[in-house]
Amino acid sequence: LFVIAMTGMARAQSTGVAACDDFLQKYDTCVSSKLPEAQRATYKAQLDQTRKMWIDMAKNPSAKATMEGSCKQTMDAIKASLQSFGCSF
């Protein structure tokens, strides 16, 4: 159980930008609860890749300043593609 909790915490690492973290949390919840098991791995891999990219971007102060807007744009784009699974953001 401890290992599972640690794995979840590592995956949920903060980007330091509230809009990005909010999107990543909603995306993770959607994928975990709404998508068919066969499709979850693909979406989780995309989630992990996006989180890593945003964490890396947040280390650069000039990039971090623009991240809130780009995270909101990403959420709007992905929200539309996930509505067919019954996800709402």
Coordinates of all heavy atoms in Angstrom, one line a residue:
L1 N 0.8 -1.2 0.0 CA 0.0 0.0 0.0 C 0.9 1.3 0.0 O 0.6 2.2 -0.7 CB -0.9 0.0 1.2 CG -1.9 1.1 1.3 CD1 -2.9 1.1 0.1 CD2 -2.7 1.1 2.5
F2 N 1.9 1.2 0.8 CA 2.8 2.4 0.8 C 3.4 2.7 -0.5 O 3.5 3.8 -1.0 CB 3.9 2.1 1.9 CG 4.9 3.3 2.0 CD1 4.5 4.5 2.6 CD2 6.2 3.2 1.5 CE1 5.4 5.6 2.7 CE2 7.1 4.3 1.6 CZ 6.6 5.5 2.2
V3 N 3.8 1.6 -1.3 CA 4.4 1.8 -2.6 C 3.4 2.4 -3.5 O 3.7 3.3 -4.3 CB 4.9 0.5 -3.2 CG1 5.4 0.6 -4.6 CG2 6.1 -0.1 -2.3
I4 N 2.2 2.0 -3.5 CA 1.1 2.6 -4.3 C 0.9 4.0 -4.0 O 0.9 4.9 -4.9 CB -0.2 1.8 -4.1 CG1 -0.1 0.4 -4.7 CG2 -1.4 2.5 -4.9 CD1 -1.2 -0.5 -4.3
A5 N 0.9 4.4 -2.8 CA 0.7 5.8 -2.4 C 1.9 6.6 -2.9 O 1.7 7.7 -3.4 CB 0.6 5.9 -0.9
M6 N 3.1 6.1 -2.8 CA 4.3 6.8 -3.3 C 4.3 7.0 -4.8 O 4.6 8.1 -5.3 CB 5.6 6.1 -2.9 CG 5.9 6.1 -1.4 SD 6.0 7.8 -0.7 CE 7.6 8.3 -1.5
T7 N 3.8 6.0 -5.5 CA 3.8 6.0 -6.9 C 2.8 7.1 -7.4 O 3.0 7.9 -8.2 CB 3.4 4.7 -7.5 OG1 4.3 3.7 -7.1 CG2 3.3 4.7 -9.0
G8 N 1.6 7.1 -6.7 CA 0.6 8.1 -7.0 C 1.1 9.5 -6.7 O 0.9 10.4 -7.5
M9 N 1.9 9.7 -5.7 CA 2.4 11.0 -5.4 C 3.4 11.5 -6.4 O 3.5 12.6 -6.8 CB 3.0 11.0 -4.0 CG 2.0 11.0 -2.8 SD 2.7 10.7 -1.2 CE 4.1 11.8 -1.2
A10 N 4.2 10.5 -6.8 CA 5.3 10.9 -7.8 C 4.6 11.3 -9.1 O 5.0 12.2 -9.8 CB 6.2 9.7 -8.0
R11 N 3.6 10.6 -9.5 CA 2.9 10.9 -10.8 C 2.2 12.2 -10.7 O 2.0 12.9 -11.6 CB 1.9 9.8 -11.1 CG 1.4 9.9 -12.5 CD 0.4 8.8 -12.9 NE -0.8 9.0 -12.2 CZ -1.5 8.1 -11.6 NH1 -1.2 6.8 -11.7 NH2 -2.6 8.4 -11.0
A12 N 1.7 12.6 -9.5 CA 1.0 13.8 -9.3 C 1.9 15.0 -8.9 O 1.4 16.0 -8.3 CB -0.1 13.6 -8.2
Q13 N 3.1 15.0 -9.3 CA 4.1 16.0 -9.1 C 3.5 17.4 -9.6 O 3.0 17.4 -10.7 CB 5.4 15.7 -9.7 CG 6.5 16.7 -9.3 CD 7.8 16.3 -9.9 OE1 8.0 15.2 -10.5 NE2 8.9 17.1 -9.7
S14 N 3.7 18.4 -8.9 CA 3.2 19.7 -9.3 C 4.1 20.4 -10.3 O 5.3 20.2 -10.3 CB 3.1 20.6 -8.0 OG 2.7 21.9 -8.4
T15 N 3.4 21.1 -11.2 CA 4.2 21.9 -12.2 C 4.5 23.2 -11.6 O 5.4 23.9 -12.2 CB 3.3 22.1 -13.5 OG1 2.1 22.9 -13.1 CG2 2.9 20.8 -14.1
G16 N 3.8 23.6 -10.6 CA 4.0 25.0 -10.0 C 3.1 26.0 -10.6 O 3.2 27.2 -10.3
V17 N 2.3 25.6 -11.6 CA 1.3 26.5 -12.2 C -0.1 25.9 -12.0 O -0.4 24.8 -12.4 CB 1.6 26.6 -13.7 CG1 0.6 27.5 -14.4 CG2 3.0 27.1 -14.0
A18 N -0.9 26.7 -11.3 CA -2.2 26.1 -10.8 C -3.1 25.7 -12.0 O -3.7 24.6 -11.9 CB -2.9 27.2 -10.0
A19 N -3.2 26.4 -13.1 CA -4.0 26.0 -14.2 C -3.5 24.7 -14.8 O -4.4 23.8 -15.2 CB -4.0 27.1 -15.3
C20 N -2.2 24.5 -14.8 CA -1.7 23.2 -15.4 C -2.0 22.1 -14.4 O -2.4 21.0 -14.9 CB -0.2 23.4 -15.6 SG 0.2 24.7 -16.7
D21 N -1.7 22.3 -13.1 CA -2.0 21.2 -12.2 C -3.5 20.8 -12.2 O -3.8 19.6 -12.1 CB -1.5 21.6 -10.8 CG 0.0 21.7 -10.7 OD1 0.7 21.1 -11.5 OD2 0.5 22.4 -9.8
D22 N -4.3 21.8 -12.3 CA -5.8 21.6 -12.3 C -6.1 20.7 -13.5 O -6.9 19.7 -13.3 CB -6.5 22.9 -12.3 CG -8.0 22.7 -12.3 OD1 -8.5 22.0 -11.4 OD2 -8.7 23.3 -13.1
F23 N -5.6 21.1 -14.6 CA -5.9 20.3 -15.8 C -5.4 18.8 -15.7 O -6.1 17.9 -16.0 CB -5.3 20.9 -17.1 CG -5.2 20.0 -18.2 CD1 -6.3 19.6 -18.9 CD2 -4.0 19.4 -18.6 CE1 -6.2 18.6 -19.9 CE2 -3.9 18.5 -19.6 CZ -5.0 18.1 -20.3
L24 N -4.1 18.7 -15.2 CA -3.6 17.4 -15.1 C -4.4 16.5 -14.1 O -4.6 15.3 -14.4 CB -2.1 17.5 -14.7 CG -1.2 18.1 -15.7 CD1 0.2 18.4 -15.1 CD2 -1.0 17.2 -16.9
Q25 N -4.8 17.1 -13.1 CA -5.6 16.3 -12.1 C -7.0 15.9 -12.7 O -7.4 14.7 -12.6 CB -5.9 17.2 -10.8 CG -6.8 16.5 -9.8 CD -6.2 15.2 -9.3 OE1 -5.1 15.1 -9.0 NE2 -7.1 14.2 -9.2
K26 N -7.6 16.8 -13.4 CA -8.9 16.4 -14.1 C -8.7 15.4 -15.2 O -9.5 14.5 -15.3 CB -9.6 17.7 -14.6 CG -10.1 18.6 -13.5 CD -10.6 19.9 -14.1 CE -11.2 20.8 -13.0 NZ -11.6 22.1 -13.5
Y27 N -7.7 15.5 -15.9 CA -7.4 14.6 -17.0 C -7.1 13.2 -16.4 O -7.6 12.2 -16.8 CB -6.1 15.1 -17.7 CG -5.7 14.3 -19.0 CD1 -6.0 14.8 -20.3 CD2 -5.1 13.1 -18.9 CE1 -5.6 14.1 -21.4 CE2 -4.7 12.4 -20.0 CZ -5.0 12.9 -21.3 OH -4.6 12.2 -22.4
D28 N -6.3 13.1 -15.3 CA -6.0 11.9 -14.7 C -7.3 11.2 -14.1 O -7.5 10.0 -14.3 CB -5.0 12.1 -13.6 CG -4.4 10.8 -13.0 OD1 -4.4 9.8 -13.8 OD2 -4.0 10.8 -11.9
T29 N -8.1 12.0 -13.5 CA -9.4 11.5 -12.9 C -10.3 10.9 -14.1 O -10.8 9.9 -13.9 CB -10.1 12.6 -12.1 OG1 -9.3 13.0 -11.1 CG2 -11.4 12.1 -11.6
C30 N -10.4 11.7 -15.1 CA -11.2 11.3 -16.3 C -10.7 9.9 -16.8 O -11.4 9.0 -17.0 CB -11.1 12.3 -17.4 SG -11.8 11.8 -18.9
V31 N -9.4 9.9 -17.1 CA -8.8 8.7 -17.7 C -9.0 7.5 -16.8 O -9.4 6.4 -17.2 CB -7.3 8.9 -18.0 CG1 -6.6 7.6 -18.4 CG2 -7.2 9.9 -19.2
S32 N -8.8 7.7 -15.5 CA -8.8 6.6 -14.5 C -10.3 6.1 -14.3 O -10.5 4.9 -14.1 CB -8.3 7.0 -13.2 OG -6.9 7.4 -13.3
S33 N -11.2 7.0 -14.4 CA -12.6 6.6 -14.1 C -13.5 6.4 -15.3 O -14.5 5.7 -15.2 CB -13.2 7.6 -13.2 OG -13.3 8.9 -13.8
K34 N -13.2 6.9 -16.4 CA -14.2 6.9 -17.5 C -13.7 6.1 -18.8 O -14.6 5.6 -19.5 CB -14.5 8.3 -18.0 CG -15.0 9.2 -17.0 CD -16.4 9.1 -16.7 CE -16.9 10.2 -15.8 NZ -18.3 10.0 -15.4
L35 N -12.4 6.0 -19.0 CA -12.0 5.4 -20.2 C -11.9 3.9 -20.1 O -11.7 3.3 -19.0 CB -10.6 5.9 -20.6 CG -10.6 7.1 -21.5 CD1 -11.1 8.3 -20.8 CD2 -9.2 7.3 -22.1
P36 N -12.2 3.1 -21.2 CA -12.1 1.7 -21.1 C -10.6 1.3 -20.8 O -9.7 2.0 -21.2 CB -12.4 1.3 -22.6 CG -13.1 2.4 -23.2 CD -12.6 3.6 -22.5
E37 N -10.5 0.2 -20.1 CA -9.2 -0.2 -19.6 C -8.2 -0.3 -20.7 O -7.0 0.1 -20.6 CB -9.3 -1.6 -18.9 CG -8.0 -2.1 -18.3 CD -7.7 -1.3 -17.0 OE1 -8.6 -1.0 -16.2 OE2 -6.5 -1.1 -16.8
A38 N -8.6 -0.8 -21.9 CA -7.7 -1.0 -23.0 C -7.1 0.4 -23.5 O -6.0 0.4 -24.1 CB -8.4 -1.6 -24.2
Q39 N -7.7 1.5 -23.3 CA -7.3 2.8 -23.8 C -6.5 3.6 -22.7 O -5.9 4.6 -23.0 CB -8.4 3.6 -24.3 CG -9.0 2.9 -25.6 CD -10.2 3.7 -26.0 OE1 -11.3 3.7 -25.4 NE2 -10.1 4.4 -27.1
R40 N -6.6 3.2 -21.5 CA -6.0 4.0 -20.4 C -4.5 4.2 -20.5 O -4.0 5.2 -20.3 CB -6.4 3.4 -19.0 CG -7.8 3.6 -18.7 CD -8.1 3.0 -17.3 NE -9.6 3.0 -17.1 CZ -10.2 2.4 -16.2 NH1 -9.5 1.7 -15.3 NH2 -11.5 2.5 -16.1
A41 N -3.8 3.1 -20.9 CA -2.3 3.2 -20.9 C -1.9 4.3 -21.8 O -1.0 5.1 -21.5 CB -1.7 1.9 -21.3
T42 N -2.5 4.4 -23.0 CA -2.1 5.4 -24.0 C -2.3 6.8 -23.4 O -1.5 7.7 -23.5 CB -3.0 5.2 -25.3 OG1 -2.7 3.9 -25.8 CG2 -2.6 6.2 -26.3
Y43 N -3.5 7.0 -22.8 CA -3.8 8.3 -22.3 C -3.0 8.7 -21.1 O -2.5 9.8 -20.9 CB -5.3 8.4 -22.0 CG -6.2 8.6 -23.2 CD1 -6.7 7.6 -23.9 CD2 -6.5 9.9 -23.6 CE1 -7.5 7.7 -25.0 CE2 -7.3 10.1 -24.7 CZ -7.8 9.0 -25.4 OH -8.6 9.2 -26.5
K44 N -2.7 7.7 -20.3 CA -1.8 7.9 -19.1 C -0.4 8.3 -19.5 O 0.3 9.1 -18.9 CB -1.8 6.7 -18.1 CG -3.2 6.6 -17.4 CD -2.9 6.1 -16.0 CE -4.2 6.0 -15.2 NZ -4.4 7.1 -14.2
A45 N 0.1 7.6 -20.6 CA 1.4 7.9 -21.1 C 1.4 9.4 -21.6 O 2.4 10.1 -21.4 CB 1.8 7.0 -22.2
Q46 N 0.4 9.8 -22.3 CA 0.3 11.2 -22.7 C 0.3 12.1 -21.6 O 0.9 13.2 -21.6 CB -1.0 11.4 -23.6 CG -0.9 10.8 -25.0 CD -2.2 11.0 -25.7 OE1 -3.3 11.2 -25.2 NE2 -2.1 10.9 -27.1
L47 N -0.5 11.8 -20.5 CA -0.6 12.6 -19.3 C 0.8 12.7 -18.7 O 1.3 13.8 -18.4 CB -1.5 12.0 -18.3 CG -1.6 12.6 -16.9 CD1 -2.2 14.0 -17.0 CD2 -2.3 11.7 -16.0
D48 N 1.5 11.6 -18.5 CA 2.9 11.7 -17.9 C 3.8 12.5 -18.7 O 4.6 13.2 -18.2 CB 3.4 10.2 -17.7 CG 2.6 9.5 -16.6 OD1 1.9 10.1 -15.8 OD2 2.7 8.2 -16.6
Q49 N 3.7 12.4 -20.1 CA 4.6 13.1 -21.0 C 4.3 14.6 -20.9 O 5.2 15.4 -20.8 CB 4.4 12.6 -22.4 CG 5.3 13.2 -23.4 CD 5.2 12.7 -24.8 OE1 4.2 12.0 -25.1 NE2 6.1 12.9 -25.6
T50 N 3.0 15.0 -20.8 CA 2.6 16.4 -20.7 C 3.1 16.9 -19.4 O 3.7 18.0 -19.3 CB 1.1 16.5 -20.9 OG1 0.7 16.0 -22.1 CG2 0.7 18.0 -20.7
R51 N 2.9 16.2 -18.3 CA 3.3 16.6 -17.0 C 4.8 16.9 -16.9 O 5.3 17.9 -16.5 CB 3.0 15.6 -15.9 CG 3.3 16.1 -14.5 CD 3.0 15.0 -13.4 NE 1.8 14.4 -13.5 CZ 0.6 14.9 -13.0 NH1 0.6 16.0 -12.4 NH2 -0.5 14.2 -13.1
K52 N 5.6 16.0 -17.5 CA 7.1 16.1 -17.5 C 7.5 17.4 -18.3 O 8.3 18.1 -17.9 CB 7.7 14.9 -18.1 CG 9.3 15.0 -18.0 CD 9.9 13.8 -18.7 CE 11.4 13.8 -18.6 NZ 12.1 15.1 -18.8
M53 N 6.8 17.5 -19.5 CA 7.2 18.7 -20.3 C 6.9 20.0 -19.5 O 7.7 20.9 -19.5 CB 6.3 18.6 -21.6 CG 6.6 19.8 -22.5 SD 5.5 19.7 -24.0 CE 3.9 20.0 -23.3
W54 N 5.7 20.0 -18.9 CA 5.3 21.3 -18.2 C 6.2 21.5 -16.9 O 6.5 22.7 -16.6 CB 3.9 21.2 -17.8 CG 2.9 21.5 -19.0 CD1 3.3 21.9 -20.2 CD2 1.5 21.3 -19.0 NE1 2.2 22.0 -21.0 CE2 1.1 21.6 -20.3 CE3 0.6 20.8 -18.1 CZ2 -0.2 21.5 -20.7 CZ3 -0.7 20.7 -18.5 CH2 -1.2 21.1 -19.8
I55 N 6.6 20.5 -16.3 CA 7.5 20.6 -15.1 C 8.8 21.2 -15.6 O 9.4 22.1 -15.0 CB 7.7 19.3 -14.4 CG1 6.4 18.9 -13.6 CG2 8.9 19.3 -13.4 CD1 6.4 17.5 -13.0
D56 N 9.3 20.7 -16.7 CA 10.6 21.2 -17.3 C 10.4 22.6 -17.7 O 11.3 23.4 -17.5 CB 11.0 20.3 -18.5 CG 11.5 18.9 -18.0 OD1 11.8 18.7 -16.8 OD2 11.6 18.0 -18.9
M57 N 9.3 23.0 -18.4 CA 9.1 24.3 -18.8 C 9.0 25.3 -17.6 O 9.5 26.4 -17.7 CB 7.8 24.4 -19.6 CG 7.8 24.0 -21.0 SD 6.2 24.0 -21.8 CE 5.9 25.8 -21.8
A58 N 8.4 24.9 -16.5 CA 8.2 25.7 -15.4 C 9.6 26.1 -14.7 O 9.7 27.1 -13.9 CB 7.3 25.1 -14.3
K59 N 10.6 25.4 -15.0 CA 12.0 25.7 -14.5 C 12.5 26.9 -15.1 O 13.5 27.5 -14.6 CB 12.9 24.5 -14.7 CG 12.5 23.3 -13.8 CD 13.4 22.1 -14.1 CE 12.9 20.9 -13.4 NZ 13.6 19.7 -13.8
N60 N 12.0 27.3 -16.3 CA 12.4 28.5 -17.0 C 11.5 29.6 -16.7 O 10.3 29.6 -17.1 CB 12.5 28.2 -18.5 CG 12.9 29.4 -19.4 OD1 12.7 30.5 -19.0 ND2 13.4 29.1 -20.5
P61 N 11.9 30.7 -16.0 CA 11.0 31.8 -15.6 C 10.2 32.4 -16.8 O 9.0 32.7 -16.7 CB 11.9 32.8 -14.9 CG 13.1 32.0 -14.5 CD 13.2 30.9 -15.5
S62 N 10.9 32.6 -17.9 CA 10.1 33.2 -19.1 C 9.1 32.3 -19.6 O 8.0 32.7 -20.1 CB 11.1 33.7 -20.1 OG 11.8 32.6 -20.7
A63 N 9.4 31.0 -19.7 CA 8.4 30.0 -20.2 C 7.3 29.9 -19.2 O 6.1 29.8 -19.5 CB 9.1 28.7 -20.4
K64 N 7.6 29.9 -17.9 CA 6.6 29.7 -16.8 C 5.5 30.8 -16.9 O 4.4 30.6 -16.7 CB 7.2 29.7 -15.4 CG 6.3 29.3 -14.3 CD 7.0 29.1 -13.0 CE 6.0 28.7 -11.9 NZ 6.6 28.4 -10.7
A65 N 6.0 32.0 -17.3 CA 5.0 33.1 -17.3 C 3.9 32.9 -18.4 O 2.8 33.5 -18.2 CB 5.8 34.4 -17.7
T66 N 4.2 32.1 -19.4 CA 3.2 31.9 -20.4 C 2.4 30.6 -20.3 O 1.5 30.3 -21.1 CB 3.8 31.9 -21.8 OG1 4.7 30.8 -21.9 CG2 4.6 33.2 -22.1
M67 N 2.8 29.8 -19.3 CA 2.2 28.5 -19.1 C 0.7 28.4 -18.8 O 0.0 27.6 -19.3 CB 3.0 27.6 -18.1 CG 4.3 27.2 -18.6 SD 5.3 26.3 -17.4 CE 4.2 24.8 -17.1
E68 N 0.3 29.4 -18.0 CA -1.1 29.3 -17.6 C -2.0 29.4 -18.9 O -3.0 28.6 -19.0 CB -1.5 30.5 -16.7 CG -2.9 30.4 -16.2 CD -3.2 31.2 -15.0 OE1 -2.3 31.7 -14.3 OE2 -4.4 31.5 -14.8
G69 N -1.7 30.3 -19.8 CA -2.5 30.3 -21.0 C -2.4 29.1 -21.9 O -3.4 28.6 -22.4
S70 N -1.2 28.6 -22.0 CA -1.1 27.4 -22.8 C -1.7 26.1 -22.2 O -2.2 25.3 -22.9 CB 0.4 27.1 -23.2 OG 1.3 27.3 -22.2
C71 N -1.7 26.1 -20.9 CA -2.4 25.0 -20.2 C -3.9 25.0 -20.4 O -4.5 24.0 -20.6 CB -2.0 24.9 -18.7 SG -0.3 24.5 -18.4
K72 N -4.4 26.2 -20.3 CA -5.9 26.4 -20.5 C -6.2 26.0 -22.0 O -7.3 25.4 -22.2 CB -6.3 27.8 -20.2 CG -6.3 28.1 -18.7 CD -6.7 29.5 -18.4 CE -6.8 29.7 -16.9 NZ -7.1 31.1 -16.6
Q73 N -5.4 26.4 -22.9 CA -5.6 26.0 -24.3 C -5.6 24.5 -24.5 O -6.4 23.9 -25.2 CB -4.6 26.7 -25.3 CG -4.8 28.1 -25.4 CD -3.7 28.8 -26.3 OE1 -2.6 28.2 -26.4 NE2 -4.0 29.9 -27.0
T74 N -4.6 23.9 -23.9 CA -4.5 22.4 -23.9 C -5.7 21.8 -23.3 O -6.3 20.8 -23.9 CB -3.2 21.9 -23.2 OG1 -2.1 22.5 -23.8 CG2 -3.1 20.4 -23.2
M75 N -6.2 22.3 -22.2 CA -7.4 21.7 -21.5 C -8.6 21.9 -22.5 O -9.4 20.9 -22.6 CB -7.7 22.4 -20.2 CG -8.9 21.8 -19.5 SD -9.1 22.1 -17.8 CE -9.4 23.9 -17.7
D76 N -8.8 23.0 -23.1 CA -9.9 23.2 -24.0 C -9.9 22.2 -25.2 O -10.9 21.6 -25.6 CB -10.0 24.6 -24.5 CG -10.4 25.6 -23.5 OD1 -10.9 25.2 -22.4 OD2 -10.1 26.8 -23.7
A77 N -8.7 22.0 -25.7 CA -8.5 21.1 -26.8 C -8.8 19.6 -26.4 O -9.5 18.9 -27.1 CB -7.1 21.2 -27.4
I78 N -8.2 19.2 -25.3 CA -8.4 17.8 -24.9 C -9.8 17.6 -24.3 O -10.3 16.5 -24.5 CB -7.2 17.4 -23.9 CG1 -5.9 17.4 -24.7 CG2 -7.5 16.1 -23.2 CD1 -4.7 17.1 -23.9
K79 N -10.3 18.6 -23.7 CA -11.7 18.4 -23.1 C -12.7 18.0 -24.2 O -13.5 17.1 -24.0 CB -12.1 19.8 -22.5 CG -13.5 19.8 -22.0 CD -13.8 21.0 -21.2 CE -13.6 22.3 -21.9 NZ -14.1 23.5 -21.1
A80 N -12.6 18.6 -25.4 CA -13.5 18.2 -26.5 C -13.3 16.7 -26.9 O -14.3 16.0 -27.1 CB -13.2 19.1 -27.6
S81 N -12.0 16.3 -26.9 CA -11.8 14.9 -27.3 C -12.2 13.9 -26.3 O -12.4 12.7 -26.6 CB -10.3 14.7 -27.7 OG -9.5 14.8 -26.6
L82 N -12.3 14.3 -25.0 CA -12.7 13.4 -24.0 C -14.2 13.4 -23.6 O -14.6 12.6 -22.9 CB -11.8 13.6 -22.7 CG -10.4 13.4 -22.8 CD1 -9.6 13.8 -21.5 CD2 -10.1 11.9 -23.1
Q83 N -14.9 14.3 -24.2 CA -16.3 14.4 -23.9 C -17.1 13.1 -24.3 O -18.0 12.7 -23.7 CB -17.0 15.6 -24.5 CG -16.7 16.9 -23.7 CD -17.3 18.1 -24.4 OE1 -17.5 18.2 -25.6 NE2 -17.6 19.1 -23.6
S84 N -16.6 12.5 -25.4 CA -17.2 11.3 -25.8 C -17.2 10.1 -24.8 O -17.9 9.2 -24.8 CB -16.6 10.8 -27.2 OG -15.3 10.5 -27.0
F85 N -16.2 10.3 -23.8 CA -16.1 9.3 -22.8 C -16.9 9.6 -21.5 O -16.9 8.9 -20.6 CB -14.6 9.1 -22.4 CG -13.8 8.5 -23.4 CD1 -12.9 9.3 -24.1 CD2 -13.9 7.1 -23.8 CE1 -12.1 8.7 -25.1 CE2 -13.1 6.6 -24.7 CZ -12.2 7.4 -25.4
G86 N -17.6 10.8 -21.6 CA -18.4 11.3 -20.5 C -17.6 12.1 -19.5 O -18.0 12.3 -18.3
C87 N -16.4 12.6 -19.9 CA -15.6 13.4 -19.0 C -16.0 14.9 -19.1 O -16.3 15.3 -20.2 CB -14.1 13.3 -19.4 SG -13.5 11.6 -19.2
S88 N -16.1 15.5 -18.0 CA -16.4 17.0 -18.0 C -15.4 17.7 -17.2 O -15.1 17.3 -16.1 CB -17.8 17.2 -17.6 OG -18.0 16.7 -16.3
F89 N -14.8 18.7 -17.7 CA -13.8 19.5 -17.0 C -14.4 20.8 -16.6 O -15.2 21.4 -17.2 CB -12.6 19.8 -17.9 CG -11.8 18.7 -18.3 CD1 -12.3 17.4 -18.5 CD2 -10.4 18.8 -18.4 CE1 -11.5 16.4 -18.9 CE2 -9.6 17.7 -18.8 CZ -10.2 16.5 -19.0

